[in-house]
Amino acid sequence: MKIALAGNPNSGKTTLFNAITGKTEYVGNWPGVTVEKREADLNRKYRKIFPEGRVVDLPGAYSIAPYTSEEAITSDFVVNEHPDVIINIVDASSLERSLYFTTQLLELGIPVVVALNKQDLVKRYGNEINIDGLSKALQCRIVPIIANEGVGLKELIKAAAEAAKEGKKQPAPEFEGKGTEDEKYARQKYVKELTNKYLKRNRDPSQITLSDKIDRIVAHPVAGLIIFAVVMWAVYAFSIEGLGGYLSEYFNETLFGEIIPEAANNFFESIGLHPLLHSLIVEGAIAGVGAVVGFLPLIMVLFFCLGLLEDSGYMARVAVVMDRYLKKIGLSGRSIIPMIVGSGCSVPGVMSTRTIEDVNEKRMTTMLTPYIPCGAKLPIIALFAAVFFPESSLVAPSMYLVAFIVIAIGGLFLRKIFGWKSTSVFIIELPEYKLPSVKHAFRHMIKHAKAFIIKASTIILVMNTFVWFTQAYGWNLQMVEDSSGSILASIGNVIAPLLIPLGFSKWQPAAAAFTGFVAKENVVSTLAITIAASSEEVLSLPGGVLTQFFTPVTAYAFLVFNLFTPPCFAAIGAMYTELVERKWLLRALAFQFSVGYLLAMLVTQIGTIILYGKLATGFVAACIILILYAIVIYYLIKRTSSGKIQFSTVTR
Amino acid sequence: MNMPLAKAKVGQRAIIKSISGNEKIRNFLFTLGCCEGEEITLISALGGNYIVNIKDSRYAIDKRMANAIELVEAG
């Protein structure tokens, strides 16, 4: 039996979905978080009431006639796949708007149960809804619920089970003017009458509230930008340098630096394990995975903080603040949503670009979203900040500032190169602020921690084994005395010369950057295996073994290189899905690679001159490359502005 | 007196007279309850962005859209 969850954006569908299935899908207190349909069985508690119930969570829609592509998913599903029952989640604090969609759902003939959500807000406003009356008028079951507190869910599932079992055709609402050309006006009138009849408003919604007063500061063009910068700095400083950093230090230096390797060494020696296997496990698996998992506390603290922020309703305001600035580079406030999601992981971030209708804006956002450092890039940032800049709480958060600057400049270039014009208009619903739920933030944290551990124990473990073997063996499949004769070193040495102008031309960093394309955490684990495992030190020690490979300037350049070249394979796959055409994927990758390379080169070359008063190696090569870049960009822009090639296809 | 939303006074309640722009956006606004004859209140004007109340909800819209919404005074 299929239960479809349908309703307006930000009405609480995914919150309800998670509550009745036990899943932990991404929820944010802002519209447009769900962009794909998701399915799961009811959890045990509710299966007793509704056996074989399978729930489909649909993206939010304001109407059956789709405006955005995720609205289309919703209407396609309810129209074509005939769920056995539709649970229509209605935001009771915005009843009139929600009922418009409800009346359309009632016309499909599929049994509908209305879940009247956000009863707490209704009470707070002092409003009253005559549920029995409305239920009779619409001829469907209505159950009042508070999804995020779990209130009324049993009754809701019971009602859905009854409706599905009866299997009676849902009677459509009758109103004057139905079937005529002006049906939508007639429907609106009908909905308005219903609302006036069954909703007693004891609050004038157009009154200025506390929430509005907060918005005037938080969404203000200048103050809002400063607040956003401070909030982001606080979150990342707290995660990387504060509590998260403190715990990670213990994990890295004590737990994975001493306790676990020593215990493993003693254990393997006592059972007389083959030295080769012993070395693979301790120097490959434990050193590599440990170097990544050591950053787990930091990831957890970050996602806890982001969870609190998301739940508060603040993120919708960030979109408003950023809208006017993003307009200048051809984007809009819509583009900030994928970027915020991308601060967790670029894959869902890139996927949520499908809420953007303007095709050029969507392409640009797809190319730029991976520049927001994701959770997997955090260990790289934290590692280099700890080793090279232990005194500064600014270096790690500065990567996010750099990311925004790169997005702005990169966006400008993309626009020039492809001759894009901004056509989009921006509108976003502003949910009322609420006290963020610690439970929600905690779930958010656990979900990401789990994903992180799973990734570390699968893909990263496999890569580590590969890295360990290739750095321990030569091409003749004999173990090498010195890893400089290994397979990995010879691969790294092929790439390394290309990195000379960037300031890190040894094979180890080259190999690390290379494995980073599989998953960004691999950068840390590869450095751990190739550099730290042979020394007795922990990789993340301030002023430790990494300083033999980087100066602070080239360390920063290496960070920039890893952050602003193309993301991992999974994110590249997501980009391909959203960009659709192969040629656009290739353009995106070329763009991202050029930006990362150029930026790292500039950091090294300019930084070395300013800070050390000398020319970095590869200065001449860097100058030549810079000139080539300038020529190519000039040519591309000229080609577009002369109108020979029309790249943009304006959708509307 | 007619004027675009972008020129309205903060806190002023008004009736929407017309909305210009393409069909798709107008239809979308319609589903929010933003269409001719409906009430709209400008809550705040923040540089290039406007916060409005339509029915029971708050929305932030940009200048282009605020200029496309033509108002008449309520009453």
Side-chain angles (χ1 to χ4, degrees):
Chain A
M1 288 266 190
K2 256 193 189 149
I3 312 165
L5 301 185
N8 287 175
N10 204 37
S11 60
K13 290 173 298 300
T14 305
T15 306
L16 177 64
F17 179 79
N18 288 346
I20 59 179
T21 62
K23 294 269 166 195
T24 49
E25 293 297 350
Y26 194 69
V27 186
N29 183 15
W30 33 309
V33 178
T34 307
V35 293
E36 276 192 321
K37 65 169 199 223
R38 289 186 282 236
E39 286 191 44
D41 289 325
L42 280 175
N43 70 11
R44 210 179 301 144
K45 185 170 151 200
Y46 298 108
R47 224 169 6 211
K48 273 189 220 140
I49 310 172
F50 192 162
E52 300 134 47
R54 190 163 175 79
V55 193
V56 185
D57 182 25
L58 296 166
Y62 290 112
S63 159
I64 276 280
Y67 169 66
T68 59
S69 62
E70 80 268 17
E71 281 191 338
I73 295 175
T74 300
S75 54
D76 283 351
F77 183 85
V78 290
V79 174
N80 299 330
E81 299 209 14
H82 301 289
D84 298 284
V85 58
I86 298 172
I87 294 182
N88 171 216
I89 295 108
V90 163
D91 177 350
S93 68
S94 192
L95 190 65
E96 191 176 335
R97 184 193 69 203
S98 312
L99 284 181
Y100 186 84
F101 187 43
T102 305
T103 60
Q104 291 179 322
L105 289 173
L106 288 169
E107 287 169 355
L108 300 171
I110 300 163
V112 174
V113 175
V114 169
L116 210 50
N117 196 14
K118 306 197 186 176
Q119 290 298 317
D120 45 339
L121 278 182
V122 176
K123 267 207 199 93
R124 205 202 303 164
Y125 296 161
N127 292 350
E128 281 161 52
I129 300 174
N130 176 354
I131 293 175
D132 288 338
L134 188 61
S135 170
K136 281 202 187 90
L138 294 174
Q139 302 182 61
C140 71
R141 294 174 170 84
I142 299 182
V143 183
I145 64 164
I146 307 174
N148 50 17
E149 291 173 24
V151 177
L153 302 189
K154 255 193 183 151
E155 293 78 3
L156 176 66
I157 300 302
K158 208 169 142 225
E162 283 166 13
K165 255 173 230 133
E166 282 171 19
K168 270 203 302 218
K169 188 168 180 284
Q170 174 69 46
E174 291 304 326
F175 50 91
E176 210 178 308
K178 201 173 167 181
T180 63
E181 212 169 285
D182 285 332
E183 185 184 295
K184 64 177 193 179
Y185 294 101
R187 183 186 304 278
Q188 198 182 43
K189 193 164 155 257
Y190 170 66
V191 167
K192 184 176 275 215
E193 285 164 5
L194 275 180
T195 314
N196 290 341
K197 198 163 167 195
Y198 298 111
L199 168 69
K200 208 168 124 212
R201 284 194 183 96
N202 287 318
R203 180 192 83 133
D204 175 6
S206 61
Q207 283 300 313
I208 308 290
T209 61
L210 177 66
S211 189
D212 294 320
K213 286 182 189 148
I214 298 173
D215 280 344
R216 284 181 186 167
I217 304 165
V218 166
H220 185 273
V222 182
L225 197 64
I226 295 168
I227 291 171
F228 179 53
V230 170
V231 166
M232 285 328 254
W233 174 80
V235 166
Y236 284 103
F238 183 61
S239 315
I240 299 177
E241 323 276 345
L243 179 67
Y246 177 77
L247 292 173
S248 278
E249 203 175 295
Y250 171 79
F251 263 55
N252 275 324
E253 288 174 16
T254 312
L255 195 63
F256 289 103
E258 290 166 15
I259 298 175
I260 292 182
E262 273 167 25
N265 280 335
N266 291 338
F267 176 70
F268 292 143
E269 270 159 28
S270 72
I271 60 166
L273 192 72
H274 191 279
L276 183 68
L277 209 55
H278 180 164
S279 156
L280 166 67
I281 294 174
V282 175
E283 285 166 26
I286 294 179
V289 172
V292 172
V293 175
F295 291 101
L296 180 66
L298 191 149
I299 304 260
M300 288 172 78
V301 173
L302 175 73
F303 281 108
F304 186 80
C305 296
L306 289 180
L308 286 180
L309 269 185
E310 273 164 10
D311 200 37
S312 68
Y314 174 62
M315 293 308 192
R317 277 73 185 184
V318 173
V320 177
V321 173
M322 298 307 282
D323 176 58
R324 71 177 62 78
Y325 299 106
L326 291 171
K327 283 262 168 59
K328 295 195 173 28
I329 58 167
L331 298 173
S332 79
R334 270 277 153 214
S335 323
I336 201 76
I337 291 169
M339 291 176 190
I340 291 169
V341 177
S343 65
C345 173
S346 297
V347 174
V350 166
M351 270 164 55
S352 63
T353 58
R354 68 183 65 155
T355 58
I356 303 169
E357 316 108 63
D358 182 287
V359 68
N360 295 329
E361 191 179 330
K362 182 182 158 165
R363 281 177 186 147
M364 208 197 295
T365 311
T366 305
M367 292 184 197
L368 296 173
T369 293
Y371 281 166
I372 295 290
C374 67
K377 288 171 177 170
L378 209 58
I380 317 178
I381 299 175
L383 172 67
F384 278 79
V387 175
F388 292 96
F389 313 97
E391 304 300 321
S392 166
S393 68
L394 286 174
V395 169
S398 83
M399 292 320 294
Y400 292 85
L401 185 66
V402 173
F404 274 104
I405 295 170
V406 171
I407 286 169
I409 298 174
L412 278 177
F413 272 113
L414 281 176
R415 209 176 156 198
K416 282 270 181 214
I417 289 172
F418 295 116
W420 287 336
K421 283 188 185 68
S422 162
T423 61
S424 72
V425 285
F426 176 64
I427 176 164
I428 190 168
E429 188 187 346
L430 297 178
E432 186 134 345
Y433 288 104
K434 70 174 209 214
L435 203 66
S437 137
V438 172
K439 203 169 107 190
H440 168 86
F442 190 77
R443 276 207 200 124
H444 194 60
M445 173 181 93
I446 294 296
K447 184 191 168 184
H448 281 275
K450 245 196 220 160
F452 188 76
I453 291 171
I454 290 171
K455 204 170 159 196
S457 56
T458 51
I459 186 163
I460 291 165
L461 182 64
V462 170
M463 275 306 282
N464 283 339
T465 313
F466 169 79
V467 167
W468 184 85
F469 264 110
T470 50
Q471 64 90 41
Y473 283 82
W475 288 105
N476 55 4
L477 296 183
Q478 296 292 312
M479 226 168 164
V480 288
E481 283 285 310
D482 178 0
S483 60
S484 63
S486 67
I487 299 174
L488 192 65
S490 69
I491 298 174
N493 278 328
V494 174
I495 309 169
L498 297 172
L499 303 180
I500 291 173
L502 278 51
F504 39 89
S505 57
K506 296 216 171 85
W507 66 266
Q508 292 92 334
F514 185 71
T515 57
F517 290 116
V518 176
K520 288 293 165 192
E521 294 94 335
N522 279 326
V523 174
V524 170
S525 58
T526 302
L527 288 176
I529 295 169
T530 55
I531 295 177
S534 51
S535 76
E536 292 299 304
E537 277 174 17
V538 174
L539 190 67
S540 59
L541 204 67
V545 65
L546 273 179
T547 54
Q548 296 166 20
F549 289 82
F550 300 98
T551 65
V553 166
T554 60
Y556 203 85
F558 184 71
L559 261 184
V560 165
F561 183 78
N562 281 296
L563 261 47
F564 299 115
T565 44
C568 64
F569 282 159
I572 293 173
M575 281 166 57
Y576 190 22
T577 310
E578 298 309 322
L579 291 168
V580 184
E581 294 161 76
R582 183 185 295 258
K583 89 177 171 192
W584 277 105
L585 180 70
L586 292 176
R587 280 176 186 157
L589 293 177
F591 168 76
Q592 289 172 341
F593 191 80
S594 316
V595 170
Y597 190 90
L598 182 67
L599 223 55
M601 189 175 87
L602 291 177
V603 168
T604 292
Q605 299 297 337
I606 297 175
T608 307
I609 292 174
I610 292 176
L611 288 178
Y612 310 132
K614 57 175 186 183
L615 296 180
T617 39
F619 182 75
V620 178
C623 288
I624 296 170
I625 292 168
L626 200 60
I627 292 167
L628 285 177
Y629 262 107
I631 293 172
V632 170
I633 291 170
Y634 175 77
Y635 169 73
L636 287 174
I637 293 176
K638 203 175 157 221
R639 189 173 64 162
T640 305
S641 57
S642 67
K644 268 188 218 149
I645 291 181
Q646 198 60 45
F647 281 105
S648 55
T649 42
V650 179
T651 48
R652 48 186 173 83
Chain B
M1 198 188 75
N2 295 351
M3 65 183 156
L5 176 66
K7 298 250 163 61
K9 263 197 292 224
V10 169
Q12 187 182 11
R13 202 183 287 221
I15 304 289
I16 299 169
K17 182 173 170 261
S18 64
I19 300 173
S20 51
N22 72 54
E23 181 86 25
K24 231 176 141 185
I25 300 276
R26 291 215 321 268
N27 282 337
F28 178 68
L29 288 173
F30 182 87
T31 61
L32 302 180
C34 180
C35 65
E36 300 94 82
E38 289 292 325
E39 207 179 271
I40 189 167
T41 310
L42 181 62
I43 300 293
S44 313
L46 302 161
N49 291 85
Y50 298 82
I51 297 176
V52 295
N53 185 78
I54 302 166
K55 302 205 187 278
D56 300 294
S57 299
R58 295 280 193 275
Y59 303 88
I61 61 177
D62 62 7
K63 198 166 198 157
R64 200 180 291 176
M65 204 179 267
N67 273 319
I69 302 175
E70 194 75 20
L71 307 177
V72 286
E73 263 173 73

